[in-house]
Amino acid sequence: EYANHTKLKRTLSLTKPLNVSNSSLSLSDSTPLLPSRSFSNLYYSAPSSPQCMDWQKSIRFQVVVWHIGQIDMRQGRVPVTFRVTLYWNDEPMDDNNNDDELESIGSRGSAIWQMQGRKQAIQKEVKDIPLNTVAVPALSILNVVTFDTIGDAQVEMLREDTRLMRWTCMYRATLIQNDWRVDNFPHDDHDICLKLAILAERRPGELWDRQLWHLALATEADSRGSTRVPHGLLVDEVRIPEFMYNQDDGLQFELAPLKHGPLWKGSIDFERCLEVRLRVARDSSYFDKNIMPILSLLNFVAISVLCLKPEDFFQRALLTLNIGFVEFGLRMRTDSHLPNVSYQIKMQRILNEYFFGLMFLVLEACLVYDMQRRGSTMMVWVDALAATVKFGHNVYTLFHYYRDAARSRNKLLHGAKKEVLV
């Protein structure tokens, strides 16, 4: 019955696509060939019967992320371990032999599909005699430096009536993130992005014609409840050193236009790729609870040195320089935790401003000492002005620093009850 339907299906004119309604399946002359829009216009529903196979021709993705390692901010590299699963509905390559193939497969008993290269799989019996061959979409990871496969790729037919196929493989890869910047360190946030696509044989008339085979996300009918989210997720055990993420949001999926892909003549649709994103923010607890309180306290102590008389210039300058040396040692220690980039980041700017403020107090002590020697009576006002400026700068810096810390955390969590910290 399936073979007869396949022969009938291929004799139909392209001007008469299948029209699927709630009540019955029928052929319509006027109904356009449109995809299902049940998931934010992103994917096509999984076929449920052979009659709607043409209407739902798509390559559907499922991505499960198992591990994210130490992030290299300088080079924009992220080690990730993930599993990619592809679902599609295969069509027999030879109409004349459909009946023979189905009878042969049914009569020979148990059989398995095994990958042969990247683009096809062969069906074998236990005694390794090839029974059949099926074309497999060749997966491409677009933003990868190096990668290894963990084990062999696996192929199997999930449903014989719809010829629902599943290809799955686990990767250990180092991803490129060239758009990252750390200007707002240590309150910076980033998107870890994984880009997947099917690029081979996508031109018109080829095996995986882009205009016929659309990229989509896996549905519940594909995954059969194997994961909580049919199209993929981030497993709960993932921890990212020095970063946190919102576990309730998890991975974000988007079918985005491929910027360097082709635009076919007479079409307004670009080649697309699947972008899997995870929003992460730096855990700034080390700087919030250790570095900033010490820096601000040292600056408040330096302000108190202004209470000494102007003629005690040596003592005032010596105490201020000693505080400056302590801050300089703290700066050297802090630099080891900062990303090594070619531009100035926020934490470096704060450290520089605090150190320059101490040098300003030394010069101010020299000024009031000279004014006192000249008999001026304005030394008290100059000291008061210097103390006010330095105190105001310290309070201003602390206010904006901890406001940015709160904003960064709220931006990531935006009211979520659960977070993952390292």
Side-chain angles (χ1 to χ4, degrees):
E1 179 183 355
Y2 172 75
N4 293 333
H5 161 73
T6 303
K7 296 177 181 178
L8 174 62
K9 174 185 62 180
R10 295 191 176 184
T11 61
L12 295 177
S13 171
L14 294 179
T15 61
K16 295 183 178 182
L18 290 174
N19 176 28
V20 180
S21 63
N22 294 331
S23 58
S24 62
L25 294 172
S26 62
L27 292 176
S28 173
D29 294 335
S30 59
T31 304
L33 186 59
L34 296 177
S36 171
R37 303 294 183 182
S38 60
F39 187 86
S40 302
N41 300 335
L42 288 182
Y43 61 83
Y44 300 78
S45 299
S48 57
S49 64
Q51 283 77 5
C52 56
M53 197 174 293
D54 277 348
W55 182 65
Q56 303 182 0
K57 185 179 288 188
S58 62
I59 303 172
R60 302 175 291 281
F61 287 83
Q62 180 191 76
V63 180
V64 178
V65 177
W66 290 91
H67 171 75
I68 300 177
Q70 182 73 44
I71 297 177
D72 184 350
M73 297 301 304
R74 181 180 182 183
Q75 298 185 356
R77 304 291 187 264
V78 184
V80 181
T81 301
F82 57 94
R83 176 176 289 279
V84 180
T85 303
L86 301 180
Y87 298 93
W88 74 99
N89 295 84
D90 179 57
E91 292 183 337
M93 297 182 181
D94 188 358
D95 291 337
N96 298 324
N97 297 326
N98 279 336
D99 296 326
D100 296 337
E101 289 178 356
L102 292 175
E103 293 175 1
S104 176
I105 293 175
S107 61
R108 297 187 189 184
S110 176
I112 61 172
W113 292 94
Q114 182 177 349
M115 286 299 298
Q116 188 177 62
R118 294 179 61 224
K119 300 181 180 180
Q120 67 177 3
I122 59 175
Q123 191 179 31
K124 291 185 176 182
E125 283 187 319
V126 178
K127 56 183 180 180
D128 292 338
I129 299 178
L131 298 176
N132 199 357
T133 300
V134 62
V136 177
L139 178 70
S140 298
I141 307 175
L142 303 183
N143 60 329
V144 65
V145 182
T146 59
F147 75 92
D148 296 314
T149 59
I150 302 177
D152 296 329
Q154 302 175 3
V155 184
E156 62 177 317
M157 179 179 291
L158 300 182
R159 294 182 57 177
E160 292 190 5
D161 57 343
T162 60
R163 295 187 64 86
L164 175 61
M165 304 295 299
R166 178 178 66 184
W167 174 93
T168 182
C169 185
M170 180 170 283
Y171 294 90
R172 184 187 295 112
T174 300
L175 303 181
I176 306 172
Q177 312 292 324
N178 287 331
D179 58 338
W180 283 5
R181 288 184 65 89
V182 289
D183 305 73
N184 204 36
F185 182 96
H187 303 130
D188 51 318
D189 52 79
H190 310 278
D191 283 333
I192 299 177
C193 182
L194 168 65
K195 297 181 180 181
L196 303 173
I198 306 297
L199 301 180
E201 299 183 279
R202 296 284 283 167
R203 290 190 294 269
E206 293 189 334
L207 180 61
W208 305 107
D209 187 340
R210 180 183 64 90
Q211 298 177 353
L212 299 178
W213 289 88
H214 303 276
L215 302 186
L217 298 181
T219 64
E220 187 69 30
D222 295 324
S223 64
R224 298 185 174 187
S226 60
T227 58
R228 184 176 65 252
V229 182
H231 49 276
L233 48 77
L234 182 74
V235 298
D236 297 337
E237 291 76 14
V238 171
R239 299 293 184 272
I240 309 174
E242 301 180 8
F243 285 85
M244 57 185 179
Y245 65 91
N246 186 350
Q247 193 176 33
D248 291 338
D249 285 349
L251 299 177
Q252 305 297 320
F253 295 79
E254 179 183 4
L255 289 171
L258 191 61
K259 295 181 179 179
H260 60 273
L263 177 62
W264 306 118
K265 284 186 176 182
S267 173
I268 61 173
D269 190 19
F270 289 89
E271 177 67 273
R272 297 183 179 273
C273 67
L274 174 64
E275 294 185 356
V276 183
R277 297 179 180 273
L278 175 65
R279 190 72 172 178
V280 298
R282 190 179 301 276
D283 182 9
S284 60
S285 301
Y286 173 79
F287 297 92
D288 298 346
K289 300 176 181 179
N290 297 286
I291 303 301
M292 289 304 297
I294 295 176
L295 286 176
S296 59
L297 181 60
L298 288 174
N299 279 268
F300 284 128
V301 171
I303 295 173
S304 67
V305 175
L306 297 177
C307 297
L308 296 177
K309 296 179 180 180
E311 56 267 25
D312 297 328
F313 163 69
F314 179 77
Q315 289 85 347
R316 291 175 62 169
L318 182 62
L319 288 173
T320 306
L321 286 175
N322 285 336
I323 295 174
F325 290 144
V326 173
E327 283 198 6
F328 187 77
L330 187 62
R331 165 66 184 271
M332 298 298 293
R333 170 64 178 172
T334 305
D335 274 344
S336 63
H337 295 270
L338 302 181
N340 187 5
V341 293
S342 59
Y343 50 89
Q344 187 182 61
I345 63 179
K346 182 176 73 173
M347 197 65 205
Q348 291 174 330
R349 177 180 55 80
I350 292 175
L351 292 170
N352 291 339
E353 290 178 356
Y354 276 169
F355 186 77
F356 295 156
L358 295 178
M359 298 302 102
F360 164 76
L361 293 181
V362 174
L363 296 177
E364 188 273 340
C366 180
L367 174 63
V368 296
Y369 174 71
D370 185 69
M371 293 175 61
Q372 191 270 341
R373 289 181 57 188
R374 295 174 182 272
S376 174
T377 59
M378 300 293 295
M379 294 85 69
V380 177
W381 295 104
V382 174
D383 282 341
L385 178 61
T388 302
V389 171
K390 182 61 178 171
F391 183 85
H393 174 266
N394 202 17
V395 173
Y396 174 84
T397 302
L398 287 175
F399 172 77
H400 283 275
Y401 178 88
Y402 286 104
R403 185 192 63 178
D404 290 346
R407 285 181 175 178
S408 176
R409 185 176 294 268
N410 292 334
K411 181 180 178 182
L412 179 69
L413 301 179
H414 51 76
K417 297 180 180 179
K418 192 174 183 180
E419 63 179 347
V420 175
L421 298 174
V422 176

